[in-house]
Amino acid sequence: MADNKVKQIHQHKQSIWLDFIDRKIMNTGKLKQMIDEDGLRGVTSNPAIFEKAISSSSDYNADIKAKADSSLSDEELFFELAIADIQQAADLFDPVYNDDVVGADGYVSLEVSPALALDTEGTIRQAKNLWQRVDRKNVMIKIPGTLPGLPAIKAAIAAGINVNVTLIFGLERYEAVVEAYLSGLEDRLAKGEPLSQIASVASFFLSRIDVLVDPILVDRGLKDLKGEVAIASAKKAYAIYQRVFHSERWQKLADKGAKPQRLLWASTSSKDPSARDTKYVEALIGPDTVNTAPLETIDAFRDHGVVTDTLESGLHSADNTLIQLHHAGIDLQQITAHLEQEAIEKFNQPFKTMLAAIAEKRNS
């Protein structure tokens, strides 16, 4: 399907991943169809996605019933269910992983417990445990890019674990995430361990930034910047990516087989009904990046998306947007810190709801 607009994005060296997983999409063949027809190249999951899948369907009831009397805690039982799903999805994406450049794509992401977002040692232990249990080369373990998450990211990379760094909202934190990745690779190299099998992405969240900033912009008389701050931040992040991954420090690691940590655009469904539902995909198409989008956004893009290189243009305009924010007294760093805390809570709540649903299903 050469005219498939979603598939055309890969011609611009960007990979489209699906921000969704459940058993139905795999067992009905829908996910395989999207791989074949849309050129889908990966999947991301999170606690909210699994909560919806487990709480609102009967697809998991038999497995929960089978283990209802086991000594597993509700959380341990959840990870048994999730790992089975992740393994099934990873096997579906194995041909993508083994495509032209082995390991360039085809990844499926599984997140550590959101309760560990501020627990370095707990995150490291669980990341290693999940990585070992999933036992697939084309899986990434999601670790939040919180301050306590940074040393966990470094340790996981040094241990040879593929990492999807999640919950990145600000440029300063993105730089720290890149530093953790490079340091982890350097630690691994110092031990004489290979670098070529390690893959990582840095997930930069978009729409949530605009949801919080847009009302402030309108209040400060800057309504012409509404819907522009997240995209401006993303373009600035890409400028950082280009600088770091063309540096001498990086080249030493690349010479040993290391792959760049790609930027991944997350939270890409538009929350503003007056905006295009494809805006966060269309505005950030460019090389060596990933966009993970929910089903409805991919469907919308397939129908009426515009495919053209946009990521590397308008950097001067992005600079001006962020300068105007500063002059208006809007502290973007403070806003992104608030978004990080809010996101931790937003993932913790569905996780608790899901564990309660599992407990209820066990008891029934």
Side-chain angles (χ1 to χ4, degrees):
M1 298 180 70
D3 59 344
N4 185 308
K5 293 175 181 177
V6 178
K7 197 165 192 175
Q8 287 173 22
I9 291 175
H10 193 237
Q11 297 170 11
H12 297 257
K13 300 182 181 178
Q14 182 177 82
S15 299
I16 294 294
W17 292 3
L18 174 64
D19 193 25
F20 178 77
I21 190 172
D22 69 4
R23 292 188 173 177
K24 183 178 180 182
I25 197 173
M26 293 187 285
N27 294 339
T28 59
K30 170 74 172 173
L31 187 58
K32 177 66 165 61
Q33 181 184 7
M34 292 182 73
I35 294 170
D36 294 340
E37 297 181 5
D38 294 317
L40 198 67
R41 300 188 66 79
V43 161
T44 51
S45 67
N46 62 45
I49 288 171
F50 272 116
E51 187 274 324
K52 185 177 179 182
I54 292 172
S55 299
S56 63
S57 81
S58 60
D59 295 344
Y60 298 82
N61 290 4
D63 283 355
I64 293 172
K65 182 180 179 182
K67 298 177 186 294
D69 296 328
S70 71
S71 60
L72 296 173
S73 69
D74 293 331
E75 181 173 315
E76 288 168 340
L77 178 48
F78 157 68
F79 277 112
E80 294 255 322
L81 301 172
I83 286 168
D85 282 7
I86 296 298
Q87 288 173 327
Q88 184 179 352
D91 292 344
L92 280 173
F93 278 97
D94 189 65
V96 179
Y97 178 82
N98 287 295
D99 205 358
D100 298 334
V101 179
V102 174
D105 250 320
Y107 293 97
V108 181
S109 295
L110 173 62
E111 189 158 353
V112 298
S113 166
L116 299 173
L118 302 177
D119 180 349
T120 302
E121 293 305 318
T123 297
I124 293 170
R125 281 194 301 273
Q126 191 168 83
K128 289 180 176 179
N129 176 265
L130 294 176
W131 174 253
Q132 185 177 35
R133 289 167 64 192
V134 175
D135 192 28
R136 297 290 189 277
K137 290 181 179 178
N138 60 325
V139 161
M140 288 187 175
I141 304 301
K142 289 179 82 171
I143 298 176
T146 57
L147 284 176
L150 295 173
I153 294 159
K154 177 181 175 181
I157 293 296
I161 298 170
N162 297 331
V163 176
N164 177 341
V165 183
T166 187
L167 301 187
I168 305 171
F169 295 94
L171 297 174
E172 184 176 320
R173 185 59 54 81
Y174 170 59
E175 289 232 39
V177 165
V178 173
E179 173 61 33
Y181 178 63
L182 296 181
S183 297
L185 289 175
E186 287 165 346
D187 285 356
R188 188 166 174 79
L189 187 61
K191 294 184 294 184
E193 300 285 349
L195 306 183
S196 60
Q197 296 299 314
I198 300 172
S200 182
V201 294
S203 296
F204 200 95
F205 280 54
L206 300 172
S207 65
R208 296 185 191 191
I209 296 174
D210 287 335
V211 166
L212 197 58
V213 173
D214 282 355
I216 304 173
L217 292 172
V218 174
D219 186 57
R220 303 283 173 93
L222 294 172
K223 65 179 181 181
D224 57 321
L225 295 183
K226 187 180 174 186
E228 297 298 324
V229 175
I231 290 167
S233 296
K235 293 196 176 203
K236 290 290 288 181
Y238 190 67
I240 294 169
Y241 166 87
Q242 289 182 308
R243 168 172 55 79
V244 171
F245 290 101
H246 288 89
S247 66
E248 286 185 24
R249 179 185 180 188
W250 169 249
Q251 193 55 51
K252 291 176 183 177
L253 294 166
D255 289 344
K256 298 295 183 179
K259 301 190 198 75
Q261 181 188 56
R262 288 181 294 173
L263 267 163
L264 178 149
W265 312 125
S267 186
T268 55
S269 60
S270 177
K271 309 295 192 292
D272 181 355
S274 68
R276 278 179 66 80
D277 51 4
T278 52
K279 65 172 286 187
Y280 294 112
V281 181
E282 292 171 342
L284 298 169
I285 297 174
D288 307 319
T289 55
V290 179
N291 194 314
T292 185
L295 275 168
E296 58 270 20
T297 302
I298 290 177
D299 289 343
F301 197 92
R302 189 190 304 113
D303 179 68
H304 53 263
V306 178
V307 186
T308 185
D309 285 312
T310 49
L311 178 55
E312 295 178 277
S313 63
L315 188 57
H316 181 67
S317 176
D319 283 330
N320 284 340
T321 295
L322 299 184
I323 289 169
Q324 286 185 71
L325 237 64
H326 177 71
H327 287 164
I330 301 172
D331 188 340
L332 194 54
Q333 196 169 334
Q334 185 179 34
I335 286 169
T336 56
H338 173 81
L339 284 167
E340 178 185 294
Q341 183 57 44
E342 184 180 74
I344 292 170
E345 293 168 5
K346 283 186 174 180
F347 278 161
N348 262 301
Q349 191 50 55
F351 194 71
K352 291 175 183 176
T353 303
M354 177 188 60
L355 294 182
I358 288 174
E360 184 179 349
K361 287 173 186 277
R362 288 179 88 163
N363 293 330
S364 64

